[in-house]
Amino acid sequence: MDSINKSFSGVQVLKNVNIELYKGEVHALMGENGAGKSTLMKIMAGVYQPDRDSGKIVYKGNEERWNNPMEARNKGISVIHQEISLSPNLSIGENILMGTKFKKNKLGLVKWNEIYETADRVLKSIGSSLNPKANVSTLSVAQQQMVEIARALSFNSEILIMDEPTASLTDKEIEKLFGIIEELKKKGVAIVYISHRMDEIFKISDRLTVLRDGNWIKSGPISETSPDNLVKLMVGRELSDLFVKERKQETIRPKDEVPALELQGISDKNLVDNVSLKLYPGEIVGLAGLVGAGRTELIRTIFGLSKLQEGRILLDGEDVQINNPIEAMKLGIAHVPESRKEQGLLPNLSVKENILMAQLPTYRKYRLLQTKRMDHDAERYIKELGVKTASKEQNVMGLSGGNQQKVVIAKWLSISPKVLLLDEPTRGVDIGAKTEIHKIICKLADQGLAVLMVSSELPEVLGVSDRILVMHEGKLRAELSREEATQEKIMYFATGEVK
Amino acid sequence: SGGGSESSGEPAEPNNENTDEVGTEGEQLKIGLTVPTLGNPFFVAMSKGAEEVASKYDAEVITVSAEHDLAKQTAQIEDFITKKVDLILLSPFDSAGIAGAVAQARAAGIPVVALDGFAEGGINTVVMSDNVQAGRLAAEYLVEQLDGKGNIVIIDGPPVSAVTDRIKGFNEVISEYPDIKVIANQNGEGNREKALDVMESILTANQQIDAVFTINDEEAVGVQIAQEQAGRQDEFFIVSVDGAPSAVDLLKAGGSFAGTSAQFPNTMVIDGVALALKIIEGEEVAEEVLIPTKFITQDNVDSYEGW
Amino acid sequence: MNINPQESVQTRVSFKKRSQQIFNNLGMVIILFLLIVVMMIVAPNFTDPSNILNILRQSSITAILAAGMTLVILTGGIDLSVGSILALSGVISVMLSNAGVPVPIAMLAGVGVGYLVGAINGYFTAKPKLPSFIVTLGSMTYVRGLAFVITGGYPVVLASENFKFIGSGYILGIPTPIYVMTLVYIVMFIMLKYTMFGRHIYSVGGNEEASRLTGIKVERTLINVYSISGMLAGVAGVVMAGRLFTGQPMVGVGAELDAIAAVILGGTSFVGGFGRIQGTIIGVLIVAVLTNGMTLLNVDYYWQQVVKGLVIVIAVLLDRLRKRV
Amino acid sequence: MNINPQESVQTRVSFKKRSQQIFNNLGMVIILFLLIVVMMIVAPNFTDPSNILNILRQSSITAILAAGMTLVILTGGIDLSVGSILALSGVISVMLSNAGVPVPIAMLAGVGVGYLVGAINGYFTAKPKLPSFIVTLGSMTYVRGLAFVITGGYPVVLASENFKFIGSGYILGIPTPIYVMTLVYIVMFIMLKYTMFGRHIYSVGGNEEASRLTGIKVERTLINVYSISGMLAGVAGVVMAGRLFTGQPMVGVGAELDAIAAVILGGTSFVGGFGRIQGTIIGVLIVAVLTNGMTLLNVDYYWQQVVKGLVIVIAVLLDRLRKRV
Ligand SMILES: Nc1ncnc2c1ncn2[C@@H]1O[C@H](COP(=O)(O)OP(=O)(O)OP(=O)(O)O)[C@@H](O)[C@H]1O
Ligand SMILES: Nc1ncnc2c1ncn2[C@@H]1O[C@H](COP(=O)(O)OP(=O)(O)OP(=O)(O)O)[C@@H](O)[C@H]1O
Ligand SMILES: [Mg+2]
Ligand SMILES: [Mg+2]
């Protein structure tokens, strides 16, 4: 692809971007949130057309143009899109084959058996045991991601685009995915790989292209660069403090210190099974585990979203009953949920209102809202957390992922919590914003906040936590101190290979 | 959908003071009555008439409303057939449209008497107001009051035969007077609400109006409200058709509402049943019984019984 | 070793909302069944074969409209224009037939008019992405206006006896409209379940963006769906004309609401993507049995309205509660 | 130094669909303006002060209903019952007033009935999460049934002159309903913009799940919204009774569609969460000016329907196209 331009409603998001793909390579496409990676890939896949008179796509030596995803696919280009793009009401099998011509019988009617058989074969080949007849709406995000991957692999493509395929996968599945990528490479498939996880990039890719602000910055072999260098290219400046936790370690606590949050043998009706833990003020505890280990479920139970079946929750040493988020908030618990888009953001409202929505009652005077005070406070939070926004009145959906996440965090800080529950706080967030969020978390802990952080990204867990807990199938399997924790150890406990 | 509109007539010069305990011996007489809408006092009055019949003959009367829906009325007749009623009284919402259902009922051996409007499909007889005459009466009064010249407004209604007949009769008379000019012709959908809105606009567009004809009394009331609010109550008078309770009140109050061609819904039912009983007993009856309307003015309203 | 240990667990938060909108059919079948049992006990002559046929014939118009409406609601839209299309199609086919056009062609023309209006609805919904509610509210208004304009407001009496057959005839003792209705439902069932187009409807309704990405022609699917809804409204209009021996400009007012109620009672969700055509016919029958039974019981007409309104809410409520347990 | 260079770009792909559903008001203001200019030129006496007051007075009922409808649609729901509530409230307040209850109390009772029906709608929509369409379709039916039951089908003639004032009176030469309408819009504007409840409506409409997690009482918000819609329908019913001098069980049929059309013309989106009350009044006025102008021009009633239907679609279309550029 050569000097591609693309604008949306007058705003140019790609400016003369070039990318070259060779057979059998894994090509990493790098850039911050909003750099234009997905847009470029959507052009390659026929979802969008480049702006008129701009650039050209040369495929196998010929200049080509495709007008819709179908045409691109027929030419051998398949995509795993960043946003999960499944139809929730259809079966897994149908989703995998959707968009292809279904096999038909003599009457022109769809042959369901063949669909399910084909889908089953594809699923098996990527090591998934999902039932192709099951409905997609019954799947977890991770499982849906696997279905997306299966769909992309369901026909023999020559170019495979993977737009953040691992955002909601944990290491175990990622390993499997990398295995598949290796096999495809051998078959000569060209793969475009987009991810915000540095370690993955250096593990699997051969070459890379960096975009910044819609501009092409650099292409070249991965071997000629280093993580620090790459970040610099992406961000356009030196970013010295990657993943470095500048906090003093406080592993030894006074015997009589009261935990901010204590769980005593709590279970819920689904998954969480007899979990006990203590969380002290000023401490960041990481909670690791595989997809579906029950971490989200545990956090939801604490926040009153999932019913407590057994056990006790203590805050500052006192027994509390939490039946819903409102009660949890009153007790000083904040919760940054797993899915920013579906559970965190109030899409049509401004940044200001997103930040202050949980705290509106305190801004009331004679039943009306005091807009001056709201403006003032919103600006304070925007500044404190370094939210990059045109103004506090900007619609929150116009922000990049990382800044959206900061807004969600700000919303919870506005209630001045004692305990902060974070569920995947940096999923899909680029490296620069991720670092800033980590800094914010650490700063808050320094100010005495107790933080419980779920993350599927091990470097993050290792980099930020004071202590690390590992869950497997609803049970707490291990507690590791910052010093003793390694990726291997965590995976060992997380996979349940322990008695 | 328009509200009231359809209507009908006056005592079929009651020939039926009588009816010695007719009905089917032994078993109670079952009568099905379907009307276009029970949202119109006219049909409510008709259903009241049916109740009178019920007590008179010790009959059971089932009253249903078609809500201005032909399909619904057809279904209702089918249900009557299933219920094995002895007689169907049908105030048709649409004379042609109901034919299929009427034919079915006749095939099942049930006499069908149409009320307030003709119906195809082989009804035994129809008892209705003479709507053409009603329109004519109103027109004649209007012409007389205007001395054969002036600007008039017509407020039309839903396109059902009762309404179109009134307009027809009205136009028949008016067309003979070239000096009477129809300066606006709008649709009030047969109800007060819409007639009021429409009249407000007509008042704005026309500086000199001498008289207004509306197809029913509800519309007339709407027109009068608009007129009074515009402060033009002395400018023109209103005539309509129906003889509804609201019209009686207005006539008694003595404003710009000048007169209405009154119909007689409950008599219509009573006559209809009487005719049907004759049919059941094998007597011949007239194909059509037209009940003339009576023009009620402020002068003679006190002698009018009302619905 | 299973890399997807959570396979057995069922729902995710994000889909909770969605699945709460699903009603499966079983609950409504039970409600219909109970209603029938009650009516058999209390309503005189309810079980007469002729009454059963009546109920079915009376349902046929709403059922045909509701079949098309099911497709539209499956895509997450709504079609308010069906009642007006019914009127216009009836009027046009009757006028053509009266003008000497052969009956089948006159009927096809009526159906074609419905198809055309539907296609226009679909075009505006799919291409400039106007909300279907407003597009079909607009066509509901202008289509009925047209029906009035071309008839001058008067009903047009149907002359042809052959034409009447479609609405009032019998084949083997069973009224023709019942055959039409049955045919429509069989075709729709097969189409939804066994054709690409049918599956695309579910896909588009479930996730429009995703469908586009997988190469489904979303616009074309939508246009076809609205066209079919319009076409079926045309079919209903022709049957209605044959049943009523007339082309009526004011027939079918409010029919769209009956059809929508049937679809929703039948378990199709407004969210789009969830529902089955079998459910719709159950929904149609619930309302039809209730209305027929109450008339047989001579329930006061006004109270019938009250009961009907309450039954709609209670039926949906019971179905929801049943699913909670 | 900017680490998020794309900040200036406004929308994200995933919200394309959503934002396409937003209509801002400006486009409709222009359309209203054009319409007024055309009418000034062609329609006799259009600019008479008395005609302007007429248009406003005629709009007031729809406008009051549409204000409540705006809130409901902002939460992503719909309220079909407002026309029936209008009838029931009118009937009840007139009957009470005729029975000797002091006028203000009779009026309050009418409004209260509306509030109650609205609260029931809200309860079923919020708690067992039934689709608002079906809940309010049900109440649309049973509420009108009740209005018929309590009046026996007869309109109830209003006796009290004081009562008539609310619908037919003048204050400083301006009809009372215009004051009522203005008051409703001012209150709604302030409520939506400057109260917590108002902001919660937007929040719940935009993302129910996220709102719940933010500690917003979603159920209570929804119940309040439907209650307000019902209450305003009650206000409209009382004004209508005062305007028509009668409590009519059959008044307001189809009024819900007029109100919905106005809301959507005014730019509030069915998706929920987008829209403004100012837009709604523009939507109401577009339809009112059009109808008034055509009546002044003595356009045939049936053609008025055709034109009105087309204008609705075209207005929304133009607005959409304008935004494309
Ligand atoms: N359909 C669209 N309409 C308007 N703007 C768009 C559209 N799609 C993308 N954009 C804008 O284009 C820019 C590039 O977006 P893109 O999704 O390609 O970024 P990305 O590099 O994939 O980011 P991320 O890492 O967050 O996935 C962003 O500023 C985005 O807001
Ligand atoms: N609200 C819910 N209703 C029903 N099932 C749920 C709900 N939330 C989570 N689950 C299920 O519980 C299981 C545990 O999921 P949970 O989200 O707690 O795991 P996790 O360790 O956080 O993994 P993930 O990375 O997927 O978030 C999952 O299989 C999920 O399907
Ligand atoms: Mg992207
Ligand atoms: Mg999780």
Side-chain angles (χ1 to χ4, degrees):
Chain A
M1 295 174 86
D2 199 14
S3 51
I4 298 290
N5 286 312
K6 177 71 191 172
S7 349
F8 291 111
S9 36
V11 182
Q12 196 165 2
V13 297
L14 290 178
K15 298 160 201 151
N16 292 320
V17 172
N18 312 310
I19 187 168
E20 284 176 353
L21 285 182
Y22 298 102
K23 282 186 112 170
E25 74 163 351
V26 175
H27 193 115
L29 185 56
M30 303 295 294
E32 291 183 302
N33 291 128
K37 304 179 297 291
S38 300
T39 307
L40 183 63
M41 290 305 104
K42 283 184 177 168
I43 290 175
M44 193 182 277
V47 178
Y48 299 145
Q49 275 65 54
D51 286 351
R52 231 172 262 172
D53 310 320
S54 94
K56 55 177 190 271
I57 300 174
V58 180
Y59 185 53
K60 295 187 197 165
N62 305 318
E63 184 165 346
E64 302 249 15
R65 220 188 152 88
W66 27 76
N67 298 312
N68 58 51
M70 203 74 136
E71 282 180 33
R73 175 177 343 203
N74 292 339
K75 299 237 165 72
I77 295 175
S78 74
V79 200
I80 299 167
H81 287 285
Q82 179 175 12
E83 305 279 341
I84 289 193
S85 51
L86 301 175
S87 292
N89 41 300
L90 300 183
S91 67
I92 293 173
E94 243 184 305
N95 263 292
I96 290 176
L97 297 180
M98 185 58 73
T100 61
K101 284 256 178 290
F102 287 170
K103 285 260 171 25
K104 291 180 189 168
N105 66 16
K106 279 173 234 129
L107 294 169
L109 301 181
V110 169
K111 279 176 156 177
W112 284 109
N113 285 345
E114 294 220 10
I115 288 185
Y116 291 136
E117 275 164 30
T118 316
D120 198 40
R121 215 171 323 120
V122 178
L123 284 169
K124 290 255 161 58
S125 77
I126 61 166
S128 167
S129 55
L130 290 171
N131 175 5
K133 288 183 187 167
N135 217 308
V136 163
S137 61
T138 64
L139 301 184
S140 71
V141 177
Q143 291 168 325
Q144 293 181 29
Q145 190 67 262
M146 293 308 278
V147 174
E148 286 259 359
I149 293 170
R151 173 158 73 190
L153 299 176
S154 68
F155 55 96
N156 293 327
S157 49
E158 293 177 62
I159 295 180
L160 176 60
I161 299 166
M162 304 177 124
D163 197 347
E164 300 195 34
T166 54
S168 44
L169 299 185
T170 40
D171 290 34
K172 204 72 198 174
E173 291 125 314
I174 295 174
E175 285 304 323
K176 187 82 200 173
L177 181 65
F178 287 177
I180 296 166
I181 290 177
E182 283 304 321
E183 277 170 39
L184 292 172
K185 260 173 84 169
K186 279 189 208 121
K187 287 190 205 152
V189 176
I191 294 166
V192 181
Y193 192 89
I194 301 176
S195 174
H196 290 295
R197 298 184 179 185
M198 278 300 165
D199 50 328
E200 292 177 359
I201 298 298
F202 282 91
K203 199 160 161 191
I204 61 159
S205 38
D206 304 304
R207 287 177 355 103
L208 57 72
T209 292
V210 179
L211 300 183
R212 189 199 313 150
D213 198 8
N215 292 302
W216 176 86
I217 300 295
K218 180 190 155 92
S219 292
I222 195 94
S223 50
E224 286 175 14
T225 183
S226 68
D228 286 348
N229 185 256
L230 181 53
V231 168
K232 197 176 138 196
L233 288 173
M234 283 162 54
V235 180
R237 67 184 160 111
E238 213 66 61
L239 203 69
S240 51
D241 43 9
L242 269 189
F243 279 138
V244 176
K245 189 156 172 263
E246 316 131 10
R247 301 183 55 223
K248 56 188 185 301
Q249 250 96 84
E250 240 183 284
T251 30
I252 303 150
R253 301 189 161 271
K255 272 249 154 50
D256 57 346
E257 185 175 358
V258 184
L261 172 72
E262 180 172 1
L263 307 182
Q264 292 183 355
I266 68 165
S267 304
D268 80 339
K269 59 181 187 302
N270 288 332
L271 193 62
V272 177
D273 188 4
N274 194 22
V275 171
S276 302
L277 63 80
K278 286 179 180 161
L279 183 64
Y280 292 94
E283 185 184 41
I284 302 174
V285 173
L287 191 54
L290 295 185
V291 166
R295 297 162 299 168
T296 298
E297 203 60 30
L298 174 65
I299 290 207
R300 288 172 62 89
T301 311
I302 301 170
F303 201 60
L305 287 161
S306 204
K307 216 169 163 58
L308 188 67
Q309 295 291 96
E310 262 172 69
R312 302 199 301 160
I313 300 177
L314 294 94
L315 275 178
D316 292 331
E318 283 182 35
D319 236 323
V320 291
Q321 288 293 322
I322 303 173
N323 297 311
N324 56 49
I326 299 170
E327 290 177 13
M329 285 165 63
K330 287 214 182 99
L331 292 166
I333 305 178
H335 168 231
V336 175
E338 186 170 25
S339 164
R340 184 165 62 233
K341 200 173 106 190
E342 284 170 8
Q343 303 170 323
L345 295 171
L346 307 167
N348 37 300
L349 297 178
S350 64
V351 169
K352 170 178 87 182
E353 288 194 289
N354 265 277
I355 293 176
L356 298 178
M357 191 53 83
Q359 265 314 78
L360 284 189
T362 59
Y363 292 99
R364 283 198 298 180
K365 195 173 179 188
Y366 312 121
R367 320 214 85 222
L368 298 184
L369 295 171
Q370 297 170 291
T371 43
K372 282 237 177 65
R373 252 183 71 213
M374 287 176 68
D375 289 350
H376 174 264
D377 286 3
E379 257 154 21
R380 203 185 77 223
Y381 284 112
I382 289 171
K383 215 159 106 216
E384 260 175 34
L385 299 194
V387 181
K388 300 293 183 301
T389 173
S391 92
K392 61 184 185 306
E393 305 297 340
Q394 150 101 46
N395 184 324
V396 73
M397 299 323 288
L399 299 189
S400 72
N403 283 304
Q404 288 179 350
Q405 189 72 21
K406 285 185 200 165
V407 168
V408 177
I409 294 174
K411 169 165 83 183
W412 289 108
L413 297 186
S414 78
I415 70 164
S416 321
K418 285 180 285 189
V419 175
L420 177 61
L421 309 173
L422 297 168
D423 200 348
E424 309 283 3
T426 63
R427 172 179 290 177
V429 168
D430 71 47
I431 189 91
K434 195 183 269 181
T435 310
E436 295 201 13
I437 290 174
H438 290 157
K439 272 200 263 175
I440 293 167
I441 296 173
C442 292
K443 196 172 101 199
L444 291 168
D446 285 343
Q447 291 166 0
L449 191 64
V451 180
L452 181 61
M453 179 185 78
V454 170
S455 172
S456 296
E457 213 182 324
L458 290 184
E460 172 169 270
V461 175
L462 289 167
V464 181
S465 321
D466 298 314
R467 270 190 300 145
I468 293 160
L469 304 173
V470 187
M471 272 186 96
H472 172 66
E473 291 184 351
K475 292 194 175 64
L476 264 191
R477 292 291 172 166
E479 173 172 343
L480 304 167
S481 72
R482 183 175 172 81
E483 291 76 25
E484 58 183 329
T486 62
Q487 295 219 8
E488 291 69 30
K489 269 194 193 155
I490 293 175
M491 283 315 291
Y492 176 76
F493 290 110
T495 50
E497 289 165 24
V498 73
K499 269 91 253 157
Chain B
S1 61
S5 46
E6 310 80 294
S7 331
S8 65
E10 156 170 344
E13 295 328 322
N15 33 0
N16 54 301
E17 338 273 62
N18 50 33
T19 348
D20 22 330
E21 255 73 302
V22 195
T24 31
E25 323 282 87
E27 240 182 275
Q28 200 190 18
L29 186 66
K30 253 195 267 174
I31 303 173
L33 168 65
T34 164
V35 298
T37 169
L38 281 174
N40 180 337
F42 179 82
F43 296 109
V44 180
M46 198 184 262
S47 72
K48 290 279 151 60
E51 276 165 29
E52 270 179 51
V53 171
S55 57
K56 189 167 171 189
Y57 298 111
D58 186 28
E60 181 196 358
V61 180
I62 309 158
T63 304
V64 291
S65 155
E67 281 185 286
H68 286 176
D69 183 341
L70 195 41
K72 217 166 254 172
Q73 192 157 51
T74 304
Q76 286 164 348
I77 290 182
E78 285 165 0
D79 291 341
F80 287 156
I81 299 171
T82 304
K83 283 209 75 170
K84 304 194 166 67
V85 297
D86 301 297
L87 159 64
I88 291 173
L89 296 176
L90 161 67
S91 178
F93 168 61
D94 167 40
S95 45
I98 204 66
V102 172
Q104 273 186 58
R106 298 287 283 123
I110 303 171
V112 179
V113 175
L115 302 178
D116 185 42
F118 186 71
E120 315 230 343
I123 51 166
N124 296 75
T125 183
V126 53
V127 184
M128 59 183 178
S129 293
D130 191 341
N131 280 305
V132 178
Q133 179 246 11
R136 224 184 281 129
L137 284 184
E140 279 160 5
Y141 179 83
L142 179 142
V143 168
E144 190 191 312
Q145 297 295 308
L146 291 180
D147 270 339
K149 66 170 191 293
N151 294 334
I152 67 163
V153 169
I154 296 175
I155 307 291
D156 207 335
V160 294
S161 67
V163 173
T164 48
D165 280 354
R166 289 171 203 175
I167 297 280
K168 189 171 144 209
F170 185 83
N171 283 335
E172 271 173 23
V173 174
I174 295 298
S175 59
E176 289 164 22
Y177 297 89
D179 289 340
I180 289 193
K181 280 207 280 296
V182 180
I183 54 170
N185 185 345
Q186 284 288 319
N187 198 313
E189 292 176 7
N191 66 56
R192 191 180 286 206
E193 190 186 346
K194 180 72 188 180
L196 170 53
D197 280 356
V198 163
M199 195 62 205
E200 283 176 346
S201 300
I202 293 173
L203 283 167
T204 303
N206 300 284
Q207 293 317 309
Q208 181 55 47
I209 297 169
D210 299 309
V212 176
F213 171 64
T214 63
I215 55 88
N216 71 6
D217 289 343
E218 276 299 297
E219 284 189 354
V221 179
V223 168
Q224 203 196 30
I225 295 174
Q227 177 187 25
E228 277 173 7
Q229 290 202 334
R232 289 161 71 170
Q233 52 268 47
D234 298 328
E235 181 182 323
F236 60 87
F237 62 91
I238 305 158
V239 292
S240 77
V241 178
D242 254 356
S246 54
V248 174
D249 292 346
L250 287 182
L251 286 172
K252 286 185 176 155
S256 63
F257 188 74
T260 182
S261 303
Q263 334 181 64
F264 304 89
N266 48 351
T267 346
M268 204 179 288
V269 178
I270 295 165
D271 289 3
V273 174
L275 283 172
L277 292 175
K278 284 190 192 157
I279 296 162
I280 293 171
E281 303 198 329
E283 280 179 51
E284 285 284 307
V285 296
E287 262 177 29
E288 181 181 78
V289 179
L290 283 186
I291 305 176
T293 58
K294 193 174 156 207
F295 199 74
I296 313 286
T297 62
Q298 295 180 1
D299 300 331
N300 66 4
V301 63
D302 289 331
S303 62
Y304 173 62
E305 245 179 64
W307 297 351
Chain C
M1 216 181 47
N2 185 352
I3 60 154
N4 289 299
Q6 79 286 29
E7 230 107 89
S8 55
V9 188
Q10 285 144 1
T11 6
R12 300 288 304 185
V13 197
S14 46
F15 284 92
K16 213 171 135 193
K17 219 164 57 176
R18 186 147 225 157
S19 44
Q20 273 176 345
Q21 304 261 11
I22 317 173
F23 299 57
N24 73 23
N25 302 329
L26 195 60
M28 286 301 166
V29 173
I30 295 170
I31 288 172
L32 174 60
F33 181 77
L34 287 179
L35 207 57
I36 290 178
V37 170
V38 170
M39 289 305 173
M40 281 167 71
I41 297 169
V42 300
N45 310 327
F46 180 80
T47 45
D48 276 15
S50 72
N51 191 49
I52 304 297
L53 290 181
N54 271 348
I55 294 177
L56 290 175
R57 180 166 50 191
Q58 287 165 14
S59 317
S60 59
I61 300 287
T62 308
I64 294 169
L65 296 179
M69 190 68 78
T70 307
L71 306 197
V72 172
I73 294 183
L74 273 176
T75 66
I78 199 157
D79 188 351
L80 299 178
S81 66
V82 292
S84 297
I85 293 178
L86 182 147
L88 183 65
S89 293
V91 161
I92 286 182
S93 57
V94 169
M95 287 176 92
L96 288 178
S97 162
N98 288 357
V101 174
V103 169
I105 294 177
M107 286 181 173
L108 270 183
V111 174
V113 167
Y115 187 89
L116 196 75
V117 176
I120 296 172
N121 287 340
Y123 180 84
F124 283 115
T125 309
K127 288 291 167 74
K129 299 214 163 306
L130 306 186
S132 59
F133 197 102
I134 200 83
V135 170
T136 59
L137 182 64
S139 49
M140 167 180 173
T141 312
Y142 72 74
V143 167
R144 191 167 298 276
L146 283 177
F148 275 115
V149 166
I150 63 173
T151 58
Y154 289 92
V156 189
V157 178
L158 175 61
S160 158
E161 284 303 319
N162 289 339
F163 196 132
K164 291 179 186 170
F165 181 74
I166 191 82
S168 316
Y170 288 82
I171 304 174
L172 305 173
I174 293 171
T176 334
I178 299 181
Y179 289 97
V180 178
M181 166 176 84
T182 311
L183 186 70
V184 165
Y185 274 79
I186 290 174
V187 170
M188 287 295 134
F189 176 81
I190 293 175
M191 199 199 68
L192 278 177
K193 188 138 187 181
Y194 294 107
T195 71
M196 292 270 288
F197 171 59
R199 305 317 293 172
H200 285 178
I201 292 175
Y202 280 94
S203 183
V204 170
N207 190 338
E208 193 173 317
E209 187 63 21
S211 305
R212 207 181 305 273
L213 293 179
T214 47
I216 293 175
K217 296 192 172 110
V218 174
E219 279 80 26
R220 208 167 73 184
T221 307
L222 286 176
I223 293 177
N224 284 340
V225 162
Y226 285 87
S227 302
I228 291 177
S229 176
M231 185 184 80
L232 288 179
V235 171
V238 169
V239 172
M240 180 76 107
R243 181 157 150 74
L244 303 180
F245 302 170
T246 175
Q248 273 265 351
M250 58 196 306
V251 87
V253 173
E256 65 286 347
L257 292 182
D258 293 343
I260 295 167
V263 174
I264 303 299
L265 278 177
T268 298
S269 149
F270 269 119
V271 193
F274 289 97
R276 280 179 284 179
I277 193 90
Q278 307 93 289
T280 300
I281 190 75
I282 302 293
V284 172
L285 290 177
I286 287 177
V287 178
V289 167
L290 187 68
T291 311
N292 173 274
M294 286 197 295
T295 310
L296 293 184
L297 283 169
N298 197 16
V299 173
D300 175 77
Y301 175 71
Y302 301 142
W303 280 108
Q304 285 197 20
Q305 297 305 299
V306 178
V307 173
K308 209 197 281 182
L310 292 176
V311 165
I312 290 174
V313 178
I314 291 169
V316 179
L317 182 68
L318 284 181
D319 191 50
R320 174 63 50 88
L321 292 181
R322 194 186 61 83
K323 244 155 261 156
R324 280 277 171 85
V325 189
Chain D
M1 222 176 24
N2 184 356
I3 58 158
N4 290 293
Q6 82 288 24
E7 232 101 273
S8 56
V9 187
Q10 281 144 6
T11 7
R12 303 281 308 179
V13 196
S14 46
F15 283 87
K16 208 173 140 194
K17 221 165 55 178
R18 184 149 226 156
S19 45
Q20 274 176 345
Q21 304 261 13
I22 317 172
F23 301 54
N24 74 22
N25 301 329
L26 194 60
M28 287 300 167
V29 172
I30 296 170
I31 289 172
L32 174 61
F33 182 76
L34 288 179
L35 208 58
I36 290 176
V37 170
V38 171
M39 291 304 173
M40 280 168 71
I41 298 167
V42 299
N45 308 325
F46 180 80
T47 44
D48 274 16
S50 73
N51 192 49
I52 304 297
L53 290 181
N54 271 348
I55 293 177
L56 290 175
R57 181 166 49 192
Q58 287 168 11
S59 316
S60 58
I61 302 286
T62 310
I64 294 169
L65 295 179
M69 190 68 79
T70 306
L71 305 197
V72 172
I73 294 182
L74 273 175
T75 67
I78 200 156
D79 189 351
L80 299 177
S81 65
V82 293
S84 298
I85 293 178
L86 180 148
L88 183 65
S89 293
V91 161
I92 286 182
S93 57
V94 170
M95 287 174 92
L96 288 177
S97 161
N98 287 358
V101 175
V103 168
I105 295 177
M107 288 179 171
L108 270 183
V111 174
V113 167
Y115 187 90
L116 196 73
V117 176
I120 295 172
N121 287 339
Y123 180 84
F124 283 114
T125 308
K127 288 290 167 74
K129 301 215 162 306
L130 305 186
S132 59
F133 197 101
I134 199 84
V135 169
T136 58
L137 182 63
S139 50
M140 167 181 174
T141 313
Y142 73 73
V143 168
R144 192 167 297 276
L146 283 177
F148 276 115
V149 167
I150 63 172
T151 58
Y154 284 100
V156 190
V157 178
L158 176 60
S160 158
E161 284 303 320
N162 289 340
F163 196 130
K164 292 179 185 170
F165 181 76
I166 191 82
S168 317
Y170 288 83
I171 304 174
L172 307 173
I174 293 170
T176 333
I178 299 180
Y179 289 96
V180 178
M181 167 176 85
T182 311
L183 186 70
V184 166
Y185 274 78
I186 291 174
V187 171
M188 288 295 134
F189 176 81
I190 293 175
M191 200 197 69
L192 278 177
K193 192 143 182 178
Y194 295 109
T195 72
M196 186 166 92
F197 172 59
R199 302 323 291 172
H200 283 180
I201 291 175
Y202 282 93
S203 179
V204 169
N207 189 340
E208 200 175 308
E209 179 71 13
S211 303
R212 204 183 307 275
L213 291 181
T214 308
I216 293 174
K217 294 185 177 122
V218 174
E219 279 81 26
R220 209 169 72 182
T221 306
L222 286 176
I223 293 177
N224 285 342
V225 163
Y226 285 86
S227 303
I228 291 177
S229 176
M231 185 184 80
L232 289 179
V235 171
V238 170
V239 173
M240 181 73 110
R243 180 156 151 75
L244 300 181
F245 304 169
T246 174
Q248 287 246 7
M250 57 197 297
V251 86
V253 173
E256 65 285 347
L257 292 181
D258 293 343
I260 295 168
V263 174
I264 304 298
L265 278 177
T268 297
S269 150
F270 270 120
V271 193
F274 290 99
R276 280 179 283 180
I277 194 88
Q278 308 94 288
T280 299
I281 191 75
I282 303 293
V284 172
L285 290 177
I286 287 177
V287 177
V289 166
L290 189 67
T291 310
N292 172 273
M294 287 197 293
T295 309
L296 291 184
L297 287 168
N298 201 18
V299 173
D300 176 77
Y301 173 70
Y302 303 139
W303 278 109
Q304 287 196 17
Q305 298 302 303
V306 177
V307 173
K308 210 197 281 183
L310 292 175
V311 165
I312 289 175
V313 178
I314 292 169
V316 179
L317 182 67
L318 285 181
D319 190 50
R320 174 63 50 89
L321 293 180
R322 193 187 60 84
K323 244 155 260 158
R324 279 277 171 83
V325 189

